[in-house]
Amino acid sequence: MRNSSYGRIDKRSLRTRIASAVSAVFISVSVFHGCAMPFGKSIGQSNTAVRQFFAMDTMMRIELQGKDAEVAADAAQALIEKYDSLWSALDEKSEISSINISAGSGAIKVTDETFQIIKESLKQAEYTHGAFDPTVGLLLELWGFRKEINHIPSTEQLQIALAGVSWKNVNVDDEDCSVQLADPNTRLDLGGIAKGYATDRLKELLAQYEIDRALINLGGNICVIGEKEDGSAYKVAITDPLDTNQFLGIVYAKDVAVITSGGYERYLEVEGFRYSHIMNPFSGSPSETDLASVSIVSTHGAMGDALSTALMVMGLDQAISFWKNNPDFGVVMCTMSGELYCSSNLRDVFIPENDKEVTYFESA
Ligand code: ADP
Ligand code: MG
């Protein structure tokens, strides 16, 4: 983060704006699929069900095909709505808010679902060496990603908030399924993992129904179950972060999650400056690296979601070395100057648009 940006915006009137989550979904990733049938139509025993709804502060779209598509789609929507009510940092009645309100004091007993996602988030924080950190909640609040603000956080406020930012401040107790935040300034925020984690749980849920294939789009977190009827892969388009009317390219996806993070999706605008909703947990400021977007291709949605956020924080060089040491996922990155970088394991999976030039990197 360049500190100079503080100087330019301090004490001036701020115009805050968080880009509409609704548009983010359809701008950020488009899913093309030749096999989709009109809503509700059935052929033989195979039905198609579509659900589109707002949850987790974004638009969700679930499209299923199979014998029990309608019942399965209802169950899928209900599960996401349940997660939303448990994990929303904005809803004072959520379990995450209960934990946050008790920061610095007692442990809070939570449901198994909440306990498991918190444990997963801590695992991803450790894996990414703290670039993904679910305790950035107070930073998000201070920077105005909770409600409209008309001031920039002071250096003192940021220092106090930063003292609470560490996934190591989260104590979990397996015995009684409870969570305690060690520092009074620690605030959990699961926004960087909840949607990817939810796609993993949806996959498990849908396995209980006779579903042939599914396309799940949770606010740009895409999860594909199965393949097209003709046996080919689904095409998931990755939006060009520098020109959201264009695509960087297409991911050919079968039984995989494609998860994109970019500063262009949700941001705060201050006199011409755009501040990303992705926080740098080390500096306490919105992340400002040479990356405009990071897309992860992985069979593990929660990991993919956490990684898309973490690699944005790391920046290009660190992200490439991270991948070289952990090449069990695929990654496509677009820099602020429009260059495309791609892990070598996606050579046949990611097809760049208009023969755009791509720099591939190999594992160590
Ligand atoms: P989106 O939610 O738009 O898919 P991301 O997956 O990148 O985008 O998640 C960004 C969200 O994650 C933020 O809105 C915030 O809730 C949370 N967050 C921001 N910075 C971090 C971070 N460094 N580590 C973990 N979570 C973060
Ligand atoms: Mg994420």
Side-chain angles (χ1 to χ4, degrees):
M1 174 80 194
R2 289 196 305 270
N3 284 327
S4 58
S5 53
Y6 285 109
R8 290 201 56 179
I9 53 181
D10 203 16
K11 293 184 188 143
R12 293 185 190 186
S13 65
L14 308 182
R15 190 167 64 85
T16 60
R17 178 182 166 217
I18 296 178
S20 146
V22 180
S23 63
V25 177
F26 297 105
I27 290 172
S28 65
V29 186
S30 305
V31 182
F32 303 114
H33 44 96
C35 77
M37 289 178 289
F39 182 83
K41 209 174 170 183
S42 68
I43 293 175
Q45 284 299 303
S46 190
N47 303 305
T48 299
V50 181
R51 297 287 181 277
Q52 203 162 304
F53 55 99
F54 193 82
M56 295 185 176
D57 209 20
T58 189
M59 276 304 289
M60 310 278 184
R61 183 183 157 91
I62 295 171
E63 187 168 338
L64 307 173
Q65 215 177 55
K67 190 165 157 281
D68 295 332
E70 289 292 338
V71 188
D74 285 340
Q77 178 170 350
L79 185 65
I80 293 177
E81 285 169 348
K82 180 182 178 190
Y83 286 164
D84 194 12
S85 68
L86 288 175
W87 303 337
S88 168
L90 299 169
D91 177 357
E92 284 172 14
K93 293 192 290 294
S94 74
E95 289 200 323
I96 292 303
S97 292
S98 302
I99 297 169
N100 285 342
I101 290 163
S102 302
S105 56
I108 299 290
K109 271 186 195 278
V110 291
T111 54
D112 186 53
E113 285 107 320
T114 300
F115 193 69
Q116 295 307 329
I117 190 177
I118 290 174
K119 286 220 303 191
E120 181 68 37
S121 74
L122 300 178
K123 191 173 138 191
Q124 297 304 327
E126 185 172 14
Y127 178 53
T128 59
H129 314 294
F132 172 86
D133 192 317
T135 62
V136 292
L138 195 48
L139 291 177
L140 288 161
E141 211 173 287
L142 283 177
W143 280 97
F145 286 100
R146 288 286 170 265
K147 49 187 172 224
E148 292 272 315
I149 54 157
N150 55 8
H151 66 276
I152 270 291
S154 67
T155 312
E156 197 188 354
Q157 278 178 312
L158 283 178
Q159 271 166 0
I160 293 169
L162 258 181
V165 176
S166 172
W167 58 276
K168 291 178 183 161
N169 287 340
V170 185
N171 299 317
V172 290
D173 185 337
D174 284 279
E175 295 270 291
D176 63 353
C177 208
S178 71
V179 182
Q180 192 248 352
L181 304 179
D183 189 289
N185 288 310
T186 304
R187 298 284 182 282
L188 278 176
D189 182 284
L190 300 176
I193 194 168
K195 292 179 293 254
Y197 183 88
T199 62
D200 291 336
R201 301 290 77 80
L202 282 178
K203 231 163 42 182
E204 287 169 1
L205 174 81
L206 294 174
Q208 297 166 26
Y209 297 88
E210 286 187 49
I211 293 301
D212 304 321
R213 55 190 60 82
L215 285 172
I216 299 165
N217 183 349
L218 308 187
N221 291 243
I222 309 288
C223 176
V224 172
I225 299 176
E227 56 193 25
K228 288 205 264 185
E229 263 171 321
D230 64 5
S232 63
Y234 283 96
K235 294 178 190 172
V236 178
I238 299 179
T239 298
D240 183 342
L242 305 176
D243 177 358
T244 52
N245 295 316
Q246 307 280 335
F247 297 133
L248 295 177
I250 302 283
V251 173
Y252 285 79
K254 275 188 191 185
D255 278 316
V256 83
V258 182
I259 294 178
T260 299
S261 283
Y264 63 95
E265 285 175 335
R266 230 175 256 247
Y267 53 84
L268 196 84
E269 206 168 272
V270 185
E271 294 191 352
F273 283 94
R274 276 190 182 187
Y275 289 93
S276 162
H277 64 132
I278 296 172
M279 295 289 132
N280 181 324
F282 309 107
S283 71
S285 301
S287 166
E288 195 187 341
T289 63
D290 50 359
L291 289 176
S293 76
V294 172
S295 300
I296 304 289
V297 181
S298 169
T299 51
H300 184 179
M303 183 184 85
D305 198 0
L307 281 174
S308 67
T309 310
L311 269 54
M312 281 292 291
V313 171
M314 289 179 195
L316 183 67
D317 291 347
Q318 261 195 60
I320 291 177
S321 30
F322 181 87
W323 180 84
K324 287 186 175 185
N325 293 320
N326 306 278
D328 57 343
F329 63 95
V331 57
V332 179
M333 294 180 278
C334 179
T335 68
M336 293 300 281
S337 49
E339 290 151 345
L340 268 184
Y341 287 81
C342 185
S343 54
S344 56
N345 56 355
L346 291 185
R347 264 183 209 280
D348 302 325
V349 178
F350 172 71
I351 307 301
E353 189 79 342
N354 298 329
D355 293 327
K356 265 185 206 286
E357 202 179 310
V358 181
T359 305
Y360 290 96
F361 44 91
E362 311 282 337
S363 55

